[in-house]
Amino acid sequence: MRVIPNSTPEQLWKWYQNCLAVHPVKTQVISSGFLWGVGDIAAQSISHSTAKKHLHIRVSTVPFLPHADREFKVDWKRVAITSIFGFGFVGPVGQFWYEGMDRFIRHRLQLQPNSVCFVATKVAMDGLIIGPFDLFMFFTYMGFCSGKNADQVKEDLKRDFLPALILEGGIWPIVQVANFRYVPVRYQLLYVNLFCLLDSAFLSWMEQQKDTPWKQWFASISSFKFPGHGR
């Protein structure tokens, strides 16, 4: 089923429902890749605007105009790399994760659907399993795609993983309570993908912040260790 030009929101929603019914994995993969790409463009824009503000504050001490003062231009290579993460990981993994988790809790744990225990178990599994795994995969993937070696990627993980996990840990459980309580399973990844538009912007922005003071503070109070690091 193809998109009809000048379609109304209702027609687009019916088109999406049809695509999801006929090609569930393909639909989730494409929508995830698209939204993560858009999120990275937003992150680039935010980072550029932040750099310009810092430049204007320190302009009297800066003898030349760095890249931050130039007109914003999208790094399409980075957008493509981030979109591939959405296509190759978020879409297919998310599709099987939400359906598999629902079957596990319904049939193996035998919890009553939409009960407090049912929703709480889903939120806990999502936050303790797929959340950290998603962050680990994102920062590892982005590190290797930028040309870094294994040791450099480990340092980036040490710097970025814990701050992102803590900050996201205060937001995603609230988002997922509504998702697991009110949204049908087949649409739960779509719901998450809409929030991932913001999340991908946040993660891309996090990855671009490098060694900012607030990240160094997290690293200084953390005892987080990776296999083979610091042993």
Side-chain angles (χ1 to χ4, degrees), residues 20-38:
L20 193 61
V22 177
H23 303 291
V25 177
K26 185 186 295 185
T27 301
Q28 302 287 23
V29 165
I30 293 173
S31 60
S32 297
F34 172 77
L35 289 173
W36 277 76
V38 172

Side-chain angles (χ1 to χ4, degrees), residues 3-72:
V3 180
I4 303 174
N6 302 319
S7 298
T8 64
E10 183 179 359
Q11 290 174 324
L12 290 173
W13 175 244
K14 289 181 178 179
W15 171 79
Y16 177 82
Q17 287 179 306
N18 182 74
C19 291
L20 193 61
V22 177
H23 303 291
V25 177
K26 185 186 295 185
T27 301
Q28 302 287 23
V29 165
I30 293 173
S31 60
S32 297
F34 172 77
L35 289 173
W36 277 76
V38 172
D40 187 72
I41 294 175
Q44 291 183 37
S45 178
I46 292 170
S47 295
H48 181 266
S49 297
T50 302
K52 287 191 69 173
K53 288 180 181 179
H54 290 166
L55 171 64
H56 293 156
I57 292 174
R58 298 181 293 108
V59 67
S60 61
T61 63
V62 178
F64 58 89
L65 294 179
H67 296 293
D69 198 55
R70 298 177 182 175
E71 182 180 354
F72 172 65

Side-chain angles (χ1 to χ4, degrees), residues 96 98-109:
F96 293 112
Y98 289 113
E99 291 188 355
M101 179 172 60
D102 187 76
R103 288 194 299 269
F104 175 79
I105 295 175
R106 286 174 183 266
H107 303 304
R108 296 294 296 274
L109 301 184

